[in-house]
Amino acid sequence: MTAPLPGAEAAPTAPRPERGWQRWVRLLGTLAARLRTAPLTVALFLALWVVGAATGSLGDGPSDALLHQVGVGLPSLRAGHWWTLVSSLFWCPGIGGYVATSLLLLVLGPVAEQRLGTPLAAGVLITCQVLGSLLGTGLVRLGVAAELDWLLAIQDQIAIGPGVGLLGLAAVLSYRLTALWRRRLRLLAVLVPLVAMLYVGHLETVQRVSAVLIGLLLGALLHHRRPARPRGISHTEARVLVALCLLATALGPLVASLYRDATGPFNTMSELYFSHVPSADEVAEACDESAKACARAHSTQRFFDSPGRLMAALVPALLLVLAEGLRRGLRLAWWITACTELIWTGVLIWVLVDNYRDFADSGGSGYLVQLMGEAMLLPVAMLVLLLITRQRFDQRLSRRVLSRLALVVGSALFLSCGAYVGIGWLVRDQYEPDATFGGLVAGLPSELLPPAYNDLVPDYPIADGGTAQTLEIWCGVLFWAVALVALLLAFRRPVVHVDAEDAARARELLTRYGGSTLSFISTWDGNHYWFDERGEAAVPYRVLATVALTTGDPFGEPAARRRAVAGFARYCDERGWTPCFYSVTADTQEAAEQLGWRSLQVAEDTVVPLPDLAFTGKKWQDIRTSLNKAGKQGITAEWWRWQDAPIAIRDQIRSISEEWVSDKGLPEMGFTLGGLEELADPAVRVLVAVDADRTVHGLTSWMPVYRDGAPVGWTLDFMRRRSEGFRGVMEFLIASAALGFKEEGAEFLSLSGAPLARAERGGELTALDRTMDWLGKSMEPIYGFRSLLAFKAKFQPEYRPMYMVYPDPAALGSISRAIGKAYLPHLTPAQGVRLMRKLSG
């Protein structure tokens, strides 16, 4: 965290980062304060525990006699106990249910009462409890009539617990949240009960899914709008949502394993996700089949009595690690996850083919195909989701990290396999039958796969002696322990620049010699670098199709900058690329025109000189008004480095940004416009407007403009404001920053370029200029570039045109496509259609 800027009255010293215990104390205090204004939450919480204690239901739930009087299900409704639709609110099935429901209530209840009001929240809770229970029970009745095996198995169940109403309340609440949390809450509210229904399959899971659907419909009716379709979404949030989906597929089988009588349709093949110890009946059946099957069954039983039981959860553990990699947007995690889902689908197809003839002979081929279809639905859906979102996962690990990861995993694999085969050969008489070298090699898959896959492995020797059993238990466990830890540590390492060494060299040149107001952008990830022969100048660029698109001016030693234009042009010509310098100043334009290139104004830079800045006079009235109103409303400005900002501040910033993206219906623009990821640069300073309740109303980020190794100016990059926040927050933040930078001795403040907008200078316009004006006007309702330029005019800036220079007019079409791809790298086909409709409309 940096110190506040001197002279910025609205920017007091930001609070110090909290320690762990201080954070917990603050969170508990916040919860207590919210509970004081949440009577419904407190009343239901007390009712649950008091009624449970009074009826002796806290341990294992209510007795059977009481359950049929207060729980809802087909038996109770047939008996005419319609009050159970409401009475089921006040009991839970056991101590685990009481604890889990209480936590959900304490987290969800106060927010719902604050956003909806206590009377409406109570009405929604009861309505969703009643209608969700009724609809879920009705669906079970329909399934019984259709003779569906899963629903036939649960037709006599009785359900209790307020989880049905609470999940419906969560669905309604999502309509009153920001775009970020609306999307996350809906995903969790739908995904968690859906996965529970598919794997556990109990009556209450069907009722909970029904309650969520009713809650979404009820919320739409209450707020007079349909559930919002997925529109714009940042790639950062898309990664989080995909990771949550993978997390659900990993945890579903684990949750189902806690239930002895899980009957969900997806639970039929859950053994291949989470291995279970063979029961006595299964061992007896295997022994009746053959001696080999009997030996394998006893070996598996013995395996579960050892530390090797950890291998049973190998697949969920791998998926959990991969979910962390997906959350960070890593391409390596995407590839491993896609391969895992593809292999899983292949295994299921293999099982289907291998068993089809046996089932066909007994007339059960249709049942087998149904089981396999249900089991393959989830991995296939996950694979499709990964393919749809593949462009979101573009972050790379450094070569050094990848090399170390490959070395560690490869060494662990070699040592574990070598120990199993080598030491096993030395004690080959401890196997049944005696092991051969080929037999031990054939048995390696049984060591590296969970126990449930042993039946899919060809004949392999069964360990019978002490040393052999030790090898059988520990070789696979140790390998996967090393591999998963190494993979998790690699995923947790910072993601490096695509061209990290050249990026560091370019930043050193930029810091030493300086550049234009947008030169700092060139240090962002995604750029490659060309250096002249002397290493005195650099040109950042990215290649899109056959166009080498630069980011800003060349920078470095002043005399070398102009030479860099011709040098980079020769470099591109040797490779068959079309060079294009984008968002450059008049100096680069002149150097390019000397080579016979064409130029076109593409943006307008707005620069505010700081030495004589004073917000006096009529022309500064709007700025003074914003500063005064902020002071009256208790809004202050705080400077932070992104890494040092409190979690609450960062989370609000993400939410504000996601709301902005969602409202646009299109992804965030990149290239010369920064996003959340660029805030993490240590050289970037973030100014946040917060009120007395620590609510973030808006933020701006500032990039340095260097000369002789020190910042002499600052460029505005990231701007976001809360839709329901202080309306003059942007004027307040920019004015506060300007005063502070002035006191620091900075020479100027750049409000950055406004793309597809320009100040009126008179003169004759070319056909291309008129085309750019039309494009800027067409995109105004979407991104508001002209409105942005008008907003910046409040700060009385100096206007400096920014140009695009290119050598060949015939290549203008491919250059335009490259620029579009650079600005919208994550544009989906659906968003592309929406963009074209808006442009044509």
Side-chain angles (χ1 to χ4, degrees), residues 460-480:
Y460 62 91
I462 305 298
D464 191 41
T467 303
Q469 290 179 3
T470 301
L471 292 173
E472 186 179 67
I473 292 169
W474 286 105
C475 286
V477 172
L478 292 178
F479 163 71
W480 281 109

Side-chain angles (χ1 to χ4, degrees), residues 560-579:
R561 296 180 191 176
R562 298 180 68 87
R563 298 195 306 266
V565 177
F568 181 69
R570 289 192 298 270
Y571 174 78
C572 293
D573 185 61
E574 293 171 358
R575 288 156 178 78
W577 299 339
T578 300

Side-chain angles (χ1 to χ4, degrees), residues 2-12 637 639 685 687 702 714 733 736-744:
T2 60
L5 295 175
E9 296 180 358
W639 284 99
R685 299 167 75 169
L687 186 60
W702 301 87
W714 293 86
L733 285 171
S736 300
L739 291 174
F741 286 136
K742 175 185 176 181
E743 291 297 325
E744 286 186 346

Side-chain angles (χ1 to χ4, degrees), residues 704-777:
V705 182
Y706 293 105
R707 186 194 306 147
D708 299 327
V712 294
W714 293 86
T715 300
L716 175 64
D717 178 31
F718 193 79
M719 290 195 303
R720 292 289 186 270
R721 62 177 294 271
R722 186 180 294 276
S723 59
E724 300 176 354
F726 172 52
R727 295 193 61 82
V729 68
M730 285 297 111
E731 292 90 339
F732 162 68
L733 285 171
I734 294 174
S736 300
L739 291 174
F741 286 136
K742 175 185 176 181
E743 291 297 325
E744 286 186 346
E747 298 177 8
F748 62 87
L749 193 76
S750 170
L751 301 182
S752 193
L756 300 178
R758 58 190 179 86
E760 188 63 42
R761 294 185 175 84
E764 185 177 353
L765 299 179
T766 65
L768 281 177
D769 288 331
R770 288 192 291 270
T771 301
M772 296 297 289
D773 285 347
W774 168 84
L775 186 59
K777 183 179 180 181

Side-chain angles (χ1 to χ4, degrees), residues 772-802:
M772 296 297 289
D773 285 347
W774 168 84
L775 186 59
K777 183 179 180 181
S778 300
M779 295 192 71
E780 178 64 22
I782 307 173
Y783 286 106
F785 295 135
R786 294 187 170 192
S787 300
L788 180 63
L789 183 63
F791 165 78
K792 293 175 180 179
K794 295 181 179 182
F795 294 89
Q796 315 304 317
E798 297 176 359
Y799 294 102
R800 300 177 184 178
M802 306 183 77

